Amino acid sequence: MKGEPEERAAGAETDALTLALRQATACLEGLGALVHRWDTATGRLSLVATDGLAAESVAAWADLREEHEVPPALALRRGVLVMTRGDSLAIGASGTAAVPLIGADGPIGALSVLTAGSGEPDDVQRSFLQAVAAWVATRLDRSPGTPPRRGPATQAERTDPVGELTAALAEAATSRDIVQAVAKHILPPFGADGLVVSVFEDGRLKVIDAVGYPKGYVSRFEGPLAVGMPVTEVLGSHEPRFIESPAQFYQRYPAVQSKIMMGTSPKMAWAFLPLIASGRSVGVSVVSFNRPRTFSDEERGLLTALSAQIGQALERARLYDLEHARAQELQRGLLPRVLPRLPAASAAARYLPAGRGEQVGGDWYDVIPLPADRVAMVIGDVMGHGIAEAATMARLCTAVRTLTDLGMAPDELLGHLNDLVSDLGEDFYATCLYAVFDPVSRSCSYSLAGHPPPVVVYPDGTVHSPAPAPDPPLGAATPPFVAHELSVPDESLVVLYTDGLIDSAARDAEQGLAQLRRILSDSPALAACSEAADQDEDVRRLEGLCDTVVSALLPDRSGTTDDAALLIAHTRGMAAGDIASCGLPDDPQAAGQAREYVRDQLARWGLDDLAFTTELLVSELVGNVIRHAKGPIRLRLLRSRTLTCEVYDGSLSTPRIRHAAHTDEGGRGLQLVAALSQRWGARYLHDAKCIWAEQDIPSPDA
């Protein structure tokens, strides 16, 4: 509509003024700030912007006259910074600092900061307030619709970098972002071509980033402080140092010739600026020039003011950097460094943080070996970014590992995860896909919680992506979750991913999934994996396929706003000759028949050395069913890297190890199973359970 451009322009001006007021308040560690515009015709000062102060608190200053004895009117009349004592607005302030706003034709208003401390603003704070006031005056003097002035730039217009830098620093998150913002908005207006920003910590200077210096030279700005150096003086005095030529540099600081400069500096003039936050020096910014130059009083004041603004922003960014580093360390510690290489599956994965990498996300994945050579594959996405989300991811990773050890089905496992996320509060949600591949049945059972379904690439190159009705994400769902099953023939690929891989600003999730299907269909990686000589080569080819998918779907990582995770598994079924099973009667004779079956089968497999131990295990497991459960009973033996003995029955009761007394005649069966096997456990099917025990198979060399 007709009025929308004007409304948007007015809104942008309001946001810019708010940012400027926020910087002015932070400079004096005050309670809030205000801006008044002066109407020369009526003599009134009208309140046009506030920050940090409630509307009812500033009502008394909403409409002032130039003759009033209040700080904004005093600053306007006197034309200088005015500092008054007392709580003028009854908000708990100790005083008010007011600065006149000078436009092209004279005073146009006042900027006021309500202070909390007892001291007067120091030179740096005064200079910074003057610079902010000059920028605010520029904005007030350029209201929407006013044609630009012709002729030489005013002082207010020359200090416009303050406003530009304020906006840039408000958006900057990391310390390096701060340096880049300073380089972009400060170097050109001053004709500078070099910048080094360093922080002071643990008694040493550490360079955050630099612009305009040869590679390797910047290291000269790092290290412990030395006497007689400009950086040492600036940090100690909190005052800037302006050096206009190399001759002046060596005259003031003779020690420099034997330290960082030694006549090899590519610069010829320098402004050493203290970076101050919360009353202490946090570092030094060095603005440099490739030729000698003089610094006017106006330039010195403006650079000093800008350094105060940079110091406050850098302190905030350093806190963010520390939080981000901790979150990254947490995430790196939780994501598997190396995926296991299992008889039934090889896998490769990628985790890609959002383009700018400002915060740690909650994307995660894992591959977990299960009994009977089954493989659990899980991928998830905690909604949001930051330490809290990384901690939630940690809890989910740990919970999945724990619940997986209990042999839970995918739908049941997600039900427990949903309870965990729900207990964290209403603001926590996560999507998850948990799948289990069974190499005996060559099937993949899975459940979804608001997550994209898996994609399967069959041996003939056909790509299948099921589209089941999605369950809500963890934290918002009401169990039970739906259980799904896929047929996964030998030499197939199972592909899991988070929405950050397929959904972006350039395409929606449906288009991204279609592109993923095309990439997988056209890739020769499936045939290459099937022909791999060993698992090492298999994994290398899967890694290559991951790179192909990522580079095609996310060619420009810098422009992405969401994390992405990708997991590709190459599955292999168990050979029929490595599987042996038989049914057993539901009576005491079953144990003897089981022992006989074990002896015959292990002889066929050439595992006679395990026969005695396996007979004992089978006898105890079958006997346990006869005494405490019910039929039908089935025995299954699986030969892989280990020998797995499984006994199935029709009861859902949970087997537990008893602590039998010395006089008890029974109750030691499961103790014997635990002692004879490498590990044992139970898992539950729809209407039955399986008790299993594993033994290591001796290598042929042994």
Side-chain angles (χ1 to χ4, degrees):
M1 291 190 296
K2 185 175 181 180
E4 287 182 352
E6 289 82 359
E7 292 175 2
R8 286 196 297 270
E13 288 298 320
T14 300
D15 292 342
L17 287 176
T18 300
L19 286 172
L21 292 180
R22 196 161 297 164
Q23 291 293 337
T25 301
C27 173
L28 294 186
E29 299 181 12
L31 303 178
L34 316 90
V35 170
H36 286 84
R37 186 198 294 271
W38 182 45
D39 187 338
T40 56
T42 63
R44 292 186 177 276
L45 282 162
S46 300
L47 186 64
V48 294
T50 66
D51 183 67
L53 303 171
E56 58 271 17
S57 301
V58 299
W61 283 6
D63 188 15
L64 302 173
R65 295 192 62 83
E66 61 185 63
E67 63 267 19
H68 284 165
E69 294 297 315
V70 292
L74 291 173
L76 179 74
R77 296 201 304 270
R78 298 176 185 177
V80 296
L81 186 149
V82 172
M83 184 72 199
T84 64
R85 293 298 170 195
D87 191 7
S88 303
L89 294 177
I91 62 170
S94 61
T96 304
V99 187
L101 304 178
I102 310 300
D105 301 318
I108 60 172
L111 164 67
S112 306
V113 179
L114 282 299
T115 62
S118 58
E120 294 275 343
D122 59 27
D123 291 340
V124 171
Q125 292 171 321
R126 286 173 177 270
S127 181
F128 180 68
L129 284 178
Q130 296 284 1
V132 173
W135 180 82
V136 171
T138 302
R139 286 299 185 264
L140 291 186
D141 223 11
R142 294 178 181 174
S143 57
T146 302
R149 293 184 179 84
R150 300 182 183 276
T154 65
Q155 178 180 356
E157 290 169 335
R158 287 196 298 271
T159 57
D160 197 48
V162 176
E164 296 174 354
L165 183 62
T166 297
L169 293 181
E171 296 180 359
T174 68
S175 299
R176 290 184 179 273
D177 291 340
I178 298 291
V179 178
Q180 294 305 313
V182 173
K184 178 179 180 180
H185 297 286
I186 297 304
L187 299 191
F190 289 92
D193 61 355
L195 174 69
V196 179
V197 176
S198 306
V199 293
F200 182 62
E201 55 185 22
D202 300 327
R204 300 175 62 89
L205 273 180
K206 177 183 177 183
V207 174
I208 295 295
D209 205 356
V211 174
Y213 280 87
K215 185 177 180 181
Y217 188 85
V218 175
S219 62
R220 304 187 183 193
F221 290 88
E222 294 187 311
L225 297 181
V227 177
M229 304 296 288
V231 170
T232 306
E233 282 194 6
V234 168
L235 283 171
S237 66
H238 294 194
E239 295 179 357
R241 296 291 185 268
F242 298 93
I243 302 172
E244 300 178 339
S245 67
Q248 188 181 85
F249 205 137
Y250 297 141
Q251 182 181 3
R252 290 189 187 179
Y253 305 101
V256 167
Q257 296 192 56
S258 60
K259 296 287 184 181
I260 66 169
M261 306 301 291
M262 298 180 65
T264 63
S265 172
K267 307 303 178 184
M268 307 293 283
W270 302 264
F272 288 85
L273 307 171
L275 303 180
I276 300 172
S278 303
R280 63 185 182 86
S281 295
V282 297
V284 175
S285 174
V286 182
V287 178
S288 54
F289 306 81
N290 61 7
R291 64 184 62 185
R293 71 173 332 264
T294 58
F295 295 91
S296 67
D297 290 342
E298 179 184 342
E299 289 175 329
R300 291 172 184 249
L302 186 53
L303 283 170
T304 302
L306 291 171
S307 70
Q309 190 176 9
I310 298 165
Q312 294 162 18
L314 185 62
E315 180 75 349
R316 168 180 55 79
R318 292 284 290 166
L319 292 175
Y320 172 85
D321 289 342
L322 179 60
E323 175 184 325
H324 183 60
R326 289 174 176 171
Q328 280 189 321
E329 183 179 353
L330 173 62
Q331 188 164 43
R332 283 194 298 267
L334 291 170
L335 292 176
R337 295 181 181 275
V338 179
L339 294 175
R341 301 181 182 185
L342 307 173
S346 302
R350 291 290 182 272
Y351 167 74
L352 300 102
R356 293 179 66 186
E358 291 176 353
Q359 287 188 306
V360 170
D363 287 19
W364 56 286
Y365 58 84
D366 206 351
V367 174
I368 307 169
L370 299 177
D373 274 4
R374 294 173 306 127
V375 181
M377 296 170 283
V378 59
I379 193 165
D381 181 2
V382 178
M383 297 181 186
H385 297 79
I387 286 286
E389 286 71 20
T392 300
M393 180 191 74
R395 295 180 180 182
L396 291 177
C397 288
T398 303
V400 167
R401 283 273 176 173
T402 301
L403 296 172
T404 297
D405 286 342
L406 298 178
M408 291 186 176
D411 55 335
E412 185 182 1
L413 184 142
L414 288 190
H416 286 279
L417 288 185
N418 184 70
D419 293 340
L420 186 154
V421 176
S422 298
D423 290 343
L424 296 178
E426 297 181 355
D427 296 333
F428 288 91
Y429 300 97
T431 67
C432 187
L433 186 163
Y434 181 80
V436 175
F437 170 66
D438 188 338
V440 176
S441 64
R442 292 166 173 77
S443 64
C444 182
S445 57
Y446 68 94
S447 289
L448 305 168
H451 202 88
V455 173
V456 179
V457 185
Y458 293 119
D460 62 359
T462 303
V463 179
H464 174 53
S465 54
D471 279 311
L474 302 174
T478 302
F481 289 87
V482 179
H484 309 279
E485 189 154 337
L486 283 171
S487 173
V488 183
D490 278 353
E491 309 297 344
S492 297
L493 298 181
V494 177
V495 182
L496 311 183
Y497 54 92
T498 58
D499 58 1
L501 184 72
I502 61 172
D503 196 0
S504 69
R507 62 175 183 268
D508 59 27
E510 186 174 345
Q511 294 171 326
L513 178 58
Q515 186 176 355
L516 173 62
R517 288 169 54 96
R518 287 194 298 271
I519 296 167
L520 295 172
S521 177
D522 296 341
S523 174
L526 178 60
C529 290
S530 302
E531 297 168 359
D534 53 37
Q535 275 200 315
D536 289 342
E537 184 179 354
D538 191 10
V539 170
R540 283 195 297 271
R541 293 179 177 181
L542 289 174
E543 296 278 359
L545 179 57
C546 285
D547 292 337
T548 300
V549 170
V550 168
S551 61
L553 288 172
L554 302 173
D556 179 18
R557 289 298 303 156
S558 62
T560 60
T561 58
D562 194 11
D563 305 315
L566 171 67
L567 173 64
I568 302 179
H570 178 212
T571 62
R572 294 175 289 273
M574 184 175 288
D578 292 328
I579 307 168
S581 65
C582 69
L584 297 173
D586 190 7
D587 60 48
Q589 297 180 4
Q593 294 180 20
R595 289 193 295 270
E596 183 178 353
Y597 184 82
V598 165
R599 281 195 302 272
D600 292 342
Q601 185 59 49
L602 294 189
R604 295 190 187 95
W605 283 343
L607 299 177
D608 299 277
D609 290 346
L610 297 179
F612 178 73
T613 303
T614 309
E615 285 184 51
L616 287 177
L617 287 172
V618 167
S619 185
E620 291 299 335
L621 293 178
V622 173
N624 192 66
V625 172
I626 299 299
R627 287 189 294 272
H628 304 294
K630 61 180 181 180
I633 306 174
R634 184 164 62 93
L635 169 65
R636 187 169 75 168
L637 300 175
L638 303 175
R639 179 182 62 171
S640 180
R641 294 178 182 175
T642 60
L643 176 64
T644 303
C645 177
E646 299 177 328
V647 175
Y648 294 81
D649 64 64
S651 169
L652 296 178
S653 60
T654 302
R656 291 184 175 87
I657 294 180
R658 288 180 52 193
H659 294 282
H662 293 294
T663 56
D664 289 345
E665 296 182 359
R668 298 179 179 83
L670 292 181
Q671 290 182 353
L672 184 60
V673 170
L676 294 175
S677 61
Q678 289 299 114
R679 60 174 183 158
W680 74 280
R683 68 177 185 273
Y684 299 87
L685 312 176
H686 176 64
D687 55 357
K689 76 170 181 292
C690 167
I691 307 177
W692 54 270
E694 287 182 354
Q695 302 174 76
D696 287 336
I697 295 179
S699 65
D701 295 339

